[in-house]
PDB file of all heavy atoms in Angstrom:
ATOM      1  N   ALA A 146      11.515 -43.475  38.459  1.00 97.00           N
ATOM      2  CA  ALA A 146      11.153 -44.348  37.264  1.00 97.00           C
ATOM      3  C   ALA A 146       9.609 -44.696  37.453  1.00 97.00           C
ATOM      4  O   ALA A 146       8.851 -44.725  36.510  1.00 97.00           O
ATOM      5  CB  ALA A 146      12.043 -45.433  37.047  1.00 97.00           C
ATOM      6  N   GLY A 147       9.407 -45.248  38.767  1.00 96.00           N
ATOM      7  CA  GLY A 147       8.000 -45.684  38.949  1.00 96.00           C
ATOM      8  C   GLY A 147       6.955 -44.762  38.775  1.00 96.00           C
ATOM      9  O   GLY A 147       5.721 -45.066  38.555  1.00 96.00           O
ATOM     10  N   ARG A 148       7.192 -43.433  38.943  1.00 96.00           N
ATOM     11  CA  ARG A 148       6.328 -42.331  38.851  1.00 96.00           C
ATOM     12  C   ARG A 148       6.089 -41.980  37.312  1.00 96.00           C
ATOM     13  O   ARG A 148       4.982 -41.288  36.978  1.00 96.00           O
ATOM     14  CB  ARG A 148       6.723 -41.086  39.629  1.00 96.00           C
ATOM     15  CG  ARG A 148       7.065 -41.407  41.061  1.00 96.00           C
ATOM     16  CD  ARG A 148       5.780 -41.583  41.916  1.00 96.00           C
ATOM     17  NE  ARG A 148       4.965 -40.305  41.852  1.00 96.00           N
ATOM     18  CZ  ARG A 148       5.053 -39.220  42.693  1.00 96.00           C
ATOM     19  NH1 ARG A 148       6.070 -39.326  43.598  1.00 96.00           N
ATOM     20  NH2 ARG A 148       4.295 -38.236  42.597  1.00 96.00           N
ATOM     21  N   ILE A 149       7.024 -42.295  36.464  1.00 97.00           N
ATOM     22  CA  ILE A 149       7.016 -41.920  35.023  1.00 97.00           C
ATOM     23  C   ILE A 149       6.369 -43.044  34.143  1.00 97.00           C
ATOM     24  O   ILE A 149       5.591 -42.781  33.340  1.00 97.00           O
ATOM     25  CB  ILE A 149       8.497 -41.567  34.559  1.00 97.00           C
ATOM     26  CG1 ILE A 149       9.074 -40.504  35.453  1.00 97.00           C
ATOM     27  CG2 ILE A 149       8.467 -41.046  33.087  1.00 97.00           C
ATOM     28  CD1 ILE A 149       8.410 -39.152  35.541  1.00 97.00           C
ATOM     29  N   LEU A 150       6.875 -44.332  34.406  1.00 98.00           N
ATOM     30  CA  LEU A 150       6.520 -45.314  33.370  1.00 98.00           C
ATOM     31  C   LEU A 150       5.094 -45.546  33.126  1.00 98.00           C
ATOM     32  O   LEU A 150       4.749 -46.042  31.986  1.00 98.00           O
ATOM     33  CB  LEU A 150       7.299 -46.601  33.885  1.00 98.00           C
ATOM     34  CG  LEU A 150       8.808 -46.529  33.747  1.00 98.00           C
ATOM     35  CD1 LEU A 150       9.513 -47.755  34.430  1.00 98.00           C
ATOM     36  CD2 LEU A 150       9.251 -46.461  32.287  1.00 98.00           C
ATOM     37  N   PRO A 151       4.178 -45.455  34.168  1.00 98.00           N
ATOM     38  CA  PRO A 151       2.763 -45.676  33.808  1.00 98.00           C
ATOM     39  C   PRO A 151       2.170 -44.760  32.726  1.00 98.00           C
ATOM     40  O   PRO A 151       1.201 -45.090  32.091  1.00 98.00           O
ATOM     41  CB  PRO A 151       2.018 -45.344  35.250  1.00 98.00           C
ATOM     42  CG  PRO A 151       3.104 -45.595  36.175  1.00 98.00           C
ATOM     43  CD  PRO A 151       4.395 -45.132  35.618  1.00 98.00           C
ATOM     44  N   TYR A 152       2.880 -43.687  32.478  1.00 98.00           N
ATOM     45  CA  TYR A 152       2.403 -42.662  31.547  1.00 98.00           C
ATOM     46  C   TYR A 152       3.032 -42.935  30.105  1.00 98.00           C
ATOM     47  O   TYR A 152       2.591 -42.204  29.179  1.00 98.00           O
ATOM     48  CB  TYR A 152       2.727 -41.216  31.918  1.00 98.00           C
ATOM     49  CG  TYR A 152       2.094 -40.874  33.250  1.00 98.00           C
ATOM     50  CD1 TYR A 152       2.718 -41.001  34.482  1.00 98.00           C
ATOM     51  CD2 TYR A 152       0.754 -40.303  33.211  1.00 98.00           C
ATOM     52  CE1 TYR A 152       2.025 -40.646  35.599  1.00 98.00           C
ATOM     53  CE2 TYR A 152       0.099 -39.958  34.409  1.00 98.00           C
ATOM     54  CZ  TYR A 152       0.693 -40.057  35.648  1.00 98.00           C
ATOM     55  OH  TYR A 152       0.022 -39.745  36.795  1.00 98.00           O
ATOM     56  N   VAL A 153       3.968 -43.772  30.027  1.00 98.00           N
ATOM     57  CA  VAL A 153       4.801 -43.964  28.822  1.00 98.00           C
ATOM     58  C   VAL A 153       3.935 -44.735  27.705  1.00 98.00           C
ATOM     59  O   VAL A 153       3.276 -45.738  28.069  1.00 98.00           O
ATOM     60  CB  VAL A 153       6.082 -44.641  28.969  1.00 98.00           C
ATOM     61  CG1 VAL A 153       6.900 -44.774  27.748  1.00 98.00           C
ATOM     62  CG2 VAL A 153       6.911 -43.730  29.937  1.00 98.00           C
ATOM     63  N   ASP A 154       4.003 -44.299  26.488  1.00 98.00           N
ATOM     64  CA  ASP A 154       3.215 -44.863  25.365  1.00 98.00           C
ATOM     65  C   ASP A 154       3.931 -44.732  24.001  1.00 98.00           C
ATOM     66  O   ASP A 154       4.833 -43.927  23.877  1.00 98.00           O
ATOM     67  CB  ASP A 154       1.802 -44.511  25.352  1.00 98.00           C
ATOM     68  CG  ASP A 154       0.770 -45.558  24.938  1.00 98.00           C
ATOM     69  OD1 ASP A 154       1.184 -46.471  24.131  1.00 98.00           O
ATOM     70  OD2 ASP A 154      -0.379 -45.575  25.251  1.00 98.00           O
ATOM     71  N   HIS A 155       3.477 -45.572  23.051  1.00 98.00           N
ATOM     72  CA  HIS A 155       3.819 -45.344  21.716  1.00 98.00           C
ATOM     73  C   HIS A 155       3.025 -44.204  21.040  1.00 98.00           C
ATOM     74  O   HIS A 155       1.995 -44.326  20.455  1.00 98.00           O
ATOM     75  CB  HIS A 155       3.673 -46.617  20.809  1.00 98.00           C
ATOM     76  CG  HIS A 155       4.057 -47.845  21.485  1.00 98.00           C
ATOM     77  ND1 HIS A 155       5.411 -48.217  21.775  1.00 98.00           N
ATOM     78  CD2 HIS A 155       3.334 -48.905  21.920  1.00 98.00           C
ATOM     79  CE1 HIS A 155       5.435 -49.352  22.384  1.00 98.00           C
ATOM     80  NE2 HIS A 155       4.310 -49.926  22.424  1.00 98.00           N
ATOM     81  N   VAL A 156       3.401 -42.983  21.325  1.00 98.00           N
ATOM     82  CA  VAL A 156       2.686 -41.814  21.106  1.00 98.00           C
ATOM     83  C   VAL A 156       2.363 -41.644  19.688  1.00 98.00           C
ATOM     84  O   VAL A 156       1.248 -41.253  19.169  1.00 98.00           O
ATOM     85  CB  VAL A 156       3.330 -40.490  21.686  1.00 98.00           C
ATOM     86  CG1 VAL A 156       2.900 -39.274  20.962  1.00 98.00           C
ATOM     87  CG2 VAL A 156       3.129 -40.431  23.174  1.00 98.00           C
ATOM     88  N   TRP A 157       3.313 -41.999  18.708  1.00 98.00           N
ATOM     89  CA  TRP A 157       3.079 -41.906  17.213  1.00 98.00           C
ATOM     90  C   TRP A 157       1.893 -42.631  16.817  1.00 98.00           C
ATOM     91  O   TRP A 157       1.098 -42.306  16.059  1.00 98.00           O
ATOM     92  CB  TRP A 157       4.333 -42.358  16.413  1.00 98.00           C
ATOM     93  CG  TRP A 157       4.716 -43.726  16.751  1.00 98.00           C
ATOM     94  CD1 TRP A 157       5.514 -44.277  17.596  1.00 98.00           C
ATOM     95  CD2 TRP A 157       4.188 -44.881  15.901  1.00 98.00           C
ATOM     96  NE1 TRP A 157       5.579 -45.644  17.522  1.00 98.00           N
ATOM     97  CE2 TRP A 157       4.819 -46.074  16.421  1.00 98.00           C
ATOM     98  CE3 TRP A 157       3.316 -45.002  14.823  1.00 98.00           C
ATOM     99  CZ2 TRP A 157       4.528 -47.336  16.027  1.00 98.00           C
ATOM    100  CZ3 TRP A 157       3.054 -46.250  14.298  1.00 98.00           C
ATOM    101  CH2 TRP A 157       3.669 -47.499  14.930  1.00 98.00           C
ATOM    102  N   ARG A 158       1.753 -43.911  17.404  1.00 98.00           N
ATOM    103  CA  ARG A 158       0.612 -44.756  17.163  1.00 98.00           C
ATOM    104  C   ARG A 158      -0.695 -44.235  17.721  1.00 98.00           C
ATOM    105  O   ARG A 158      -1.819 -44.275  17.060  1.00 98.00           O
ATOM    106  CB  ARG A 158       0.768 -46.209  17.643  1.00 98.00           C
ATOM    107  CG  ARG A 158      -0.204 -47.212  17.120  1.00 98.00           C
ATOM    108  CD  ARG A 158       0.408 -48.585  17.198  1.00 98.00           C
ATOM    109  NE  ARG A 158       0.485 -49.056  18.690  1.00 98.00           N
ATOM    110  CZ  ARG A 158       1.033 -50.227  19.099  1.00 98.00           C
ATOM    111  NH1 ARG A 158       1.505 -51.032  18.211  1.00 98.00           N
ATOM    112  NH2 ARG A 158       1.041 -50.525  20.334  1.00 98.00           N
ATOM    113  N   VAL A 159      -0.661 -43.782  18.917  1.00 98.00           N
ATOM    114  CA  VAL A 159      -1.843 -43.197  19.567  1.00 98.00           C
ATOM    115  C   VAL A 159      -2.418 -42.067  18.823  1.00 98.00           C
ATOM    116  O   VAL A 159      -3.632 -41.969  18.451  1.00 98.00           O
ATOM    117  CB  VAL A 159      -1.553 -42.629  20.973  1.00 98.00           C
ATOM    118  CG1 VAL A 159      -2.721 -41.821  21.629  1.00 98.00           C
ATOM    119  CG2 VAL A 159      -1.161 -43.813  21.948  1.00 98.00           C
ATOM    120  N   LEU A 160      -1.571 -41.189  18.285  1.00 98.00           N
ATOM    121  CA  LEU A 160      -1.866 -39.998  17.426  1.00 98.00           C
ATOM    122  C   LEU A 160      -2.452 -40.478  16.105  1.00 98.00           C
ATOM    123  O   LEU A 160      -3.416 -39.893  15.676  1.00 98.00           O
ATOM    124  CB  LEU A 160      -0.716 -39.081  17.224  1.00 98.00           C
ATOM    125  CG  LEU A 160      -0.375 -38.178  18.477  1.00 98.00           C
ATOM    126  CD1 LEU A 160       0.951 -37.456  18.239  1.00 98.00           C
ATOM    127  CD2 LEU A 160      -1.509 -37.237  18.776  1.00 98.00           C
ATOM    128  N   ASP A 161      -1.845 -41.525  15.501  1.00 97.00           N
ATOM    129  CA  ASP A 161      -2.386 -42.080  14.202  1.00 97.00           C
ATOM    130  C   ASP A 161      -3.827 -42.556  14.479  1.00 97.00           C
ATOM    131  O   ASP A 161      -4.645 -42.226  13.553  1.00 97.00           O
ATOM    132  CB  ASP A 161      -1.370 -43.133  13.727  1.00 97.00           C
ATOM    133  CG  ASP A 161      -1.763 -43.542  12.372  1.00 97.00           C
ATOM    134  OD1 ASP A 161      -1.908 -42.659  11.404  1.00 97.00           O
ATOM    135  OD2 ASP A 161      -1.967 -44.805  12.116  1.00 97.00           O
ATOM    136  N   GLU A 162      -3.974 -43.318  15.458  1.00 97.00           N
ATOM    137  CA  GLU A 162      -5.326 -43.863  15.654  1.00 97.00           C
ATOM    138  C   GLU A 162      -6.407 -42.794  15.974  1.00 97.00           C
ATOM    139  O   GLU A 162      -7.529 -42.809  15.476  1.00 97.00           O
ATOM    140  CB  GLU A 162      -5.288 -44.795  16.910  1.00 97.00           C
ATOM    141  CG  GLU A 162      -4.460 -46.078  16.703  1.00 97.00           C
ATOM    142  CD  GLU A 162      -4.285 -46.891  17.923  1.00 97.00           C
ATOM    143  OE1 GLU A 162      -4.527 -46.359  19.147  1.00 97.00           O
ATOM    144  OE2 GLU A 162      -3.665 -48.131  17.721  1.00 97.00           O
ATOM    145  N   ARG A 163      -5.923 -41.800  16.802  1.00 97.00           N
ATOM    146  CA  ARG A 163      -6.924 -40.705  17.064  1.00 97.00           C
ATOM    147  C   ARG A 163      -7.278 -39.835  15.838  1.00 97.00           C
ATOM    148  O   ARG A 163      -8.396 -39.393  15.608  1.00 97.00           O
ATOM    149  CB  ARG A 163      -6.298 -39.815  18.118  1.00 97.00           C
ATOM    150  CG  ARG A 163      -6.094 -40.385  19.489  1.00 97.00           C
ATOM    151  CD  ARG A 163      -7.428 -40.798  20.162  1.00 97.00           C
ATOM    152  NE  ARG A 163      -7.241 -41.510  21.441  1.00 97.00           N
ATOM    153  CZ  ARG A 163      -7.741 -40.949  22.613  1.00 97.00           C
ATOM    154  NH1 ARG A 163      -8.387 -39.805  22.706  1.00 97.00           N
ATOM    155  NH2 ARG A 163      -7.622 -41.568  23.709  1.00 97.00           N
ATOM    156  N   ARG A 164      -6.181 -39.645  15.017  1.00 96.00           N
ATOM    157  CA  ARG A 164      -6.442 -38.958  13.848  1.00 96.00           C
ATOM    158  C   ARG A 164      -7.414 -39.602  12.797  1.00 96.00           C
ATOM    159  O   ARG A 164      -8.292 -39.017  12.307  1.00 96.00           O
ATOM    160  CB  ARG A 164      -5.089 -38.491  13.097  1.00 96.00           C
ATOM    161  CG  ARG A 164      -5.139 -37.613  12.036  1.00 96.00           C
ATOM    162  CD  ARG A 164      -3.746 -37.334  11.445  1.00 96.00           C
ATOM    163  NE  ARG A 164      -3.087 -38.441  10.895  1.00 96.00           N
ATOM    164  CZ  ARG A 164      -3.259 -38.822   9.624  1.00 96.00           C
ATOM    165  NH1 ARG A 164      -4.089 -38.213   8.748  1.00 96.00           N
ATOM    166  NH2 ARG A 164      -2.534 -39.793   9.174  1.00 96.00           N
ATOM    167  N   ARG A 165      -7.038 -40.856  12.664  1.00 95.00           N
ATOM    168  CA  ARG A 165      -7.921 -41.734  11.832  1.00 95.00           C
ATOM    169  C   ARG A 165      -9.455 -41.778  12.243  1.00 95.00           C
ATOM    170  O   ARG A 165     -10.358 -41.902  11.559  1.00 95.00           O
ATOM    171  CB  ARG A 165      -7.338 -43.043  11.650  1.00 95.00           C
ATOM    172  CG  ARG A 165      -6.057 -43.171  10.847  1.00 95.00           C
ATOM    173  CD  ARG A 165      -5.528 -44.550  10.782  1.00 95.00           C
ATOM    174  NE  ARG A 165      -4.158 -44.525  10.173  1.00 95.00           N
ATOM    175  CZ  ARG A 165      -3.987 -44.604   8.846  1.00 95.00           C
ATOM    176  NH1 ARG A 165      -5.027 -44.758   8.011  1.00 95.00           N
ATOM    177  NH2 ARG A 165      -2.720 -44.633   8.360  1.00 95.00           N
ATOM    178  N   ALA A 166      -9.576 -41.649  13.556  1.00 96.00           N
ATOM    179  CA  ALA A 166     -10.924 -41.624  14.174  1.00 96.00           C
ATOM    180  C   ALA A 166     -11.600 -40.332  14.063  1.00 96.00           C
ATOM    181  O   ALA A 166     -12.732 -40.183  14.479  1.00 96.00           O
ATOM    182  CB  ALA A 166     -10.822 -42.104  15.659  1.00 96.00           C
ATOM    183  N   GLY A 167     -10.869 -39.425  13.414  1.00 95.00           N
ATOM    184  CA  GLY A 167     -11.516 -38.014  13.176  1.00 95.00           C
ATOM    185  C   GLY A 167     -11.597 -37.091  14.369  1.00 95.00           C
ATOM    186  O   GLY A 167     -12.239 -36.126  14.484  1.00 95.00           O
ATOM    187  N   GLU A 168     -10.642 -37.408  15.421  1.00 96.00           N
ATOM    188  CA  GLU A 168     -10.602 -36.443  16.558  1.00 96.00           C
ATOM    189  C   GLU A 168      -9.797 -35.261  16.287  1.00 96.00           C
ATOM    190  O   GLU A 168      -8.827 -35.285  15.402  1.00 96.00           O
ATOM    191  CB  GLU A 168      -9.907 -37.287  17.806  1.00 96.00           C
ATOM    192  CG  GLU A 168     -10.832 -38.483  18.235  1.00 96.00           C
ATOM    193  CD  GLU A 168     -10.320 -39.000  19.547  1.00 96.00           C
ATOM    194  OE1 GLU A 168      -9.445 -38.354  20.253  1.00 96.00           O
ATOM    195  OE2 GLU A 168     -10.880 -40.040  19.951  1.00 96.00           O
ATOM    196  N   ARG A 169     -10.061 -34.184  16.933  1.00 96.00           N
ATOM    197  CA  ARG A 169      -9.420 -32.965  16.840  1.00 96.00           C
ATOM    198  C   ARG A 169      -8.099 -32.847  17.528  1.00 96.00           C
ATOM    199  O   ARG A 169      -8.083 -33.120  18.821  1.00 96.00           O
ATOM    200  CB  ARG A 169     -10.289 -31.762  17.095  1.00 96.00           C
ATOM    201  CG  ARG A 169     -11.488 -31.615  16.179  1.00 96.00           C
ATOM    202  CD  ARG A 169     -12.382 -30.526  16.726  1.00 96.00           C
ATOM    203  NE  ARG A 169     -13.451 -30.087  15.817  1.00 96.00           N
ATOM    204  CZ  ARG A 169     -14.286 -29.213  15.984  1.00 96.00           C
ATOM    205  NH1 ARG A 169     -14.318 -28.605  17.194  1.00 96.00           N
ATOM    206  NH2 ARG A 169     -15.158 -28.837  14.994  1.00 96.00           N
ATOM    207  N   ILE A 170      -7.011 -32.686  16.991  1.00 97.00           N
ATOM    208  CA  ILE A 170      -5.714 -32.575  17.660  1.00 97.00           C
ATOM    209  C   ILE A 170      -5.269 -31.152  17.636  1.00 97.00           C
ATOM    210  O   ILE A 170      -5.151 -30.403  16.606  1.00 97.00           O
ATOM    211  CB  ILE A 170      -4.768 -33.537  16.964  1.00 97.00           C
ATOM    212  CG1 ILE A 170      -5.228 -34.929  16.913  1.00 97.00           C
ATOM    213  CG2 ILE A 170      -3.350 -33.576  17.780  1.00 97.00           C
ATOM    214  CD1 ILE A 170      -4.438 -35.875  16.074  1.00 97.00           C
ATOM    215  N   LEU A 171      -4.789 -30.626  18.862  1.00 97.00           N
ATOM    216  CA  LEU A 171      -4.186 -29.399  19.013  1.00 97.00           C
ATOM    217  C   LEU A 171      -2.719 -29.554  19.343  1.00 97.00           C
ATOM    218  O   LEU A 171      -2.423 -30.132  20.374  1.00 97.00           O
ATOM    219  CB  LEU A 171      -4.924 -28.576  20.102  1.00 97.00           C
ATOM    220  CG  LEU A 171      -4.382 -27.245  20.447  1.00 97.00           C
ATOM    221  CD1 LEU A 171      -4.574 -26.256  19.341  1.00 97.00           C
ATOM    222  CD2 LEU A 171      -5.229 -26.738  21.703  1.00 97.00           C
ATOM    223  N   PHE A 172      -1.835 -28.968  18.487  1.00 97.00           N
ATOM    224  CA  PHE A 172      -0.484 -29.071  18.804  1.00 97.00           C
ATOM    225  C   PHE A 172       0.028 -27.789  19.480  1.00 97.00           C
ATOM    226  O   PHE A 172      -0.033 -26.683  18.879  1.00 97.00           O
ATOM    227  CB  PHE A 172       0.336 -29.328  17.483  1.00 97.00           C
ATOM    228  CG  PHE A 172      -0.003 -30.659  16.866  1.00 97.00           C
ATOM    229  CD1 PHE A 172      -1.017 -30.667  15.859  1.00 97.00           C
ATOM    230  CD2 PHE A 172       0.713 -31.664  17.078  1.00 97.00           C
ATOM    231  CE1 PHE A 172      -1.351 -31.950  15.312  1.00 97.00           C
ATOM    232  CE2 PHE A 172       0.387 -32.936  16.450  1.00 97.00           C
ATOM    233  CZ  PHE A 172      -0.606 -33.072  15.575  1.00 97.00           C
ATOM    234  N   GLU A 173       0.498 -27.803  20.587  1.00 94.00           N
ATOM    235  CA  GLU A 173       0.817 -26.642  21.461  1.00 94.00           C
ATOM    236  C   GLU A 173       2.318 -26.352  21.462  1.00 94.00           C
ATOM    237  O   GLU A 173       3.091 -27.028  22.041  1.00 94.00           O
ATOM    238  CB  GLU A 173       0.362 -26.997  22.842  1.00 94.00           C
ATOM    239  CG  GLU A 173       0.696 -25.831  23.894  1.00 94.00           C
ATOM    240  CD  GLU A 173       0.311 -26.247  25.301  1.00 94.00           C
ATOM    241  OE1 GLU A 173      -0.108 -27.377  25.626  1.00 94.00           O
ATOM    242  OE2 GLU A 173       0.520 -25.409  26.231  1.00 94.00           O
ATOM    243  N   GLY A 174       2.684 -25.278  20.780  1.00 93.00           N
ATOM    244  CA  GLY A 174       3.962 -24.864  20.732  1.00 93.00           C
ATOM    245  C   GLY A 174       4.407 -24.008  22.022  1.00 93.00           C
ATOM    246  O   GLY A 174       3.551 -23.457  22.781  1.00 93.00           O
ATOM    247  N   ALA A 175       5.667 -23.908  22.293  1.00 90.00           N
ATOM    248  CA  ALA A 175       6.250 -23.082  23.320  1.00 90.00           C
ATOM    249  C   ALA A 175       7.232 -22.137  22.866  1.00 90.00           C
ATOM    250  O   ALA A 175       7.746 -22.302  21.693  1.00 90.00           O
ATOM    251  CB  ALA A 175       6.868 -24.116  24.422  1.00 90.00           C
ATOM    252  N   GLN A 176       7.621 -21.145  23.563  1.00 91.00           N
ATOM    253  CA  GLN A 176       8.530 -20.132  23.218  1.00 91.00           C
ATOM    254  C   GLN A 176       7.958 -19.401  21.920  1.00 91.00           C
ATOM    255  O   GLN A 176       6.717 -19.268  21.742  1.00 91.00           O
ATOM    256  CB  GLN A 176       9.951 -20.584  22.964  1.00 91.00           C
ATOM    257  CG  GLN A 176      10.617 -20.989  24.120  1.00 91.00           C
ATOM    258  CD  GLN A 176      10.412 -22.496  24.585  1.00 91.00           C
ATOM    259  OE1 GLN A 176      10.358 -23.288  23.693  1.00 91.00           O
ATOM    260  NE2 GLN A 176      10.226 -22.754  25.749  1.00 91.00           N
TER     261      GLN A 176
END
């Protein structure tokens, strides 16, 4: 847990902020 938790965030909000700021987002699919 201690190795994972520092990376955890409200990702939906981070993405919303970045998108509104005009940053380019690349969504990477697998398979």
Side-chain angles (χ1 to χ4, degrees):
R148 304 283 300 276
I149 306 298
L150 289 171
Y152 296 92
V153 178
D154 210 330
H155 314 295
V156 157
W157 63 269
R158 189 162 67 186
V159 172
L160 285 170
D161 187 54
E162 290 169 353
R163 296 293 180 115
R164 188 174 67 83
R165 290 176 185 275
E168 294 191 11
R169 293 173 166 180
I170 304 170
L171 179 63
F172 298 90
E173 174 186 4
Q176 292 89 37

